Amino acid sequence: MLFPSEKIVENIRKRYSVGTRVKLLQMEDLQAPPIGTEGTVVGVDDTGSILVHWDNGSSLNVVYGIDIVQKV
């Protein structure tokens, strides 16, 4: 797995600030919430993963370069 640069992580943090609402478009995880599930961003970690509290109760992270969300 390749980790993004500090500059990329900072850009992700600006784009997906705490409180941003997102909708899941793709997640490579057997435990993933259903596509279309919405959630609230609670942070971005140092690997660029977006930390989300999904409306269905899940808290799986959106992994940089693999999973896809869009702002709502």
Side-chain angles (χ1 to χ4, degrees):
M1 175 178 188
L2 296 175
F3 293 107
S5 68
E6 288 181 34
K7 183 176 181 176
I8 290 173
V9 171
E10 186 58 36
N11 286 335
I12 295 168
R13 285 184 174 133
K14 287 178 184 174
R15 183 166 183 204
Y16 295 99
S17 59
V18 172
T20 300
R21 295 285 296 165
V22 294
K23 180 178 4 178
L24 183 63
L25 301 180
Q26 175 182 316
M27 184 175 276
E28 304 262 336
D29 191 305
L30 293 175
Q31 301 298 317
I35 299 303
T37 300
E38 295 184 4
T40 303
V41 174
V42 295
V44 174
D45 70 15
D46 291 340
T47 68
S49 290
I50 303 169
L51 313 177
V52 179
H53 282 179
W54 298 102
D55 292 351
N56 71 347
S58 175
S59 60
L60 287 176
N61 298 343
V62 177
V63 178
Y64 173 79
I66 298 174
D67 304 327
I68 302 172
V69 294
Q70 71 179 22
K71 286 183 175 183
V72 176

